[in-house]
Amino acid sequence: MATEIIITESHLKDAVRAIFAAAGSNPRECDLAAAHLVEANMRGHDSHGVGMIPAYISNFNAGELVLNQTPEVVLDSGAMLVCDGRLGLGQAIAHDAVAMAVERAMQNGSCILALRNAHHIGRIGHWSEQCAAAGLVSVHMVNVVSEPVVAPYGGRAARLVTNPFSAGIPRRGAPPVIVDFATSKLAMGKVRVAYNKGIPLPPDTLLDHEGEPTTNPAHMFEEPLGAILPFGGHKGWALGLACELIAGALTGGGTMNSRRKRPAIINNMVSMVISPEAMGTSERFNAEMEAFIAWAKSPPPGREPTVQIAGEPELATRAARLVHGIPVDPTTWEQILAAGEAVGLDRSRLSAVAGLS
């Protein structure tokens, strides 16, 4: 495998801004895209970071992603908010929709947000973090309308996508607890990273087009296509199903019910945002949470602590990448350069902006 390219956080943000500016995004949208995508890389989720840019630019050029959109408010009753993303850039659309939900939860004690028809909204933990920064608890269920890539439990062919789930719980004087995972064994983006790096995936993760186990990520990118297995067997399938029906059907955004009909990566999301202060349990909530976390992390006598709380591994990766930079494999970087060229940004200029020349 070729040596990875190392890019600093600030330079990588500049590169993302340059690409989206060349495509026509306004400065605010460029900033939101850069902040979200690079933060995913910073936290070790390269699957949802700058490696998504080639797909975004391809969809933009196909008319399947509309820049400079804002969420259309379809319903606003204070405690319930329904927004249509109108195929807008998900990093901006979801940010604005979640900001509205946060505002209403602060006013009313809680808010249920239904966001539909947004282009890919990226790392869902980002939206949990946005709510937690305001002191709010949140739960997010997402479905994806795209090419099916995940097989149901007991099935051998792809019928849904990786349908992520996230929850955020703020803590006093400590980083929030951020639960964030795909309901498949791996996010599709992580399979893409392995494919670009030319490395195999763990056993019992993928099926080939005949429904047989494989470790080769090429089966998800080269015809005939295979499928990713759900995590935890029937449990991952059940949670993925719940995300499909709640985020896809309940919002009116749509569910997976056929092979891909269009290039767009559509996300629908239902978010429940809750104020502990308004619930009147804030003091007990914080005390009980910290008591449990301390108990969960306490090792048996004579053992070293080994338990981590959801969100802590990402923060450790972030600290390391802040010092050492963000690794980008050569195949992904070449795809990003090509995406820049597709919107009129010369690759030598993009490399210079990224601090590579």
Side-chain angles (χ1 to χ4, degrees), residues 179-192:
V179 177
D180 180 18
F181 55 84
T183 52
S184 52
K185 284 196 171 182
L186 286 176
M188 184 61 179
K190 295 187 187 299
V191 182
R192 185 196 72 244

Side-chain angles (χ1 to χ4, degrees), residues 218-299:
H219 285 288
M220 299 307 300
F221 293 92
E222 300 173 14
E223 295 284 355
L225 299 176
I228 311 171
L229 291 169
F231 89 88
H234 65 282
K235 296 180 181 180
W237 156 234
L239 185 54
L241 173 65
C243 288
E244 189 71 27
L245 301 182
I246 292 172
L250 183 61
T251 64
T255 61
M256 285 295 304
N257 49 52
S258 68
R259 293 295 300 268
R260 191 175 200 165
K261 297 177 181 177
R262 58 191 302 186
I265 309 168
I266 305 298
N267 279 159
N268 306 294
M269 176 170 71
V270 168
S271 302
M272 292 156 277
V273 187
I274 305 164
S275 167
E277 294 286 346
M279 190 174 282
T281 60
S282 182
E283 292 305 319
R284 181 69 183 270
F285 164 66
N286 284 284
E288 289 292 333
M289 174 169 53
E290 296 306 326
F292 173 75
I293 290 174
W295 164 247
K297 297 181 79 169
S298 62

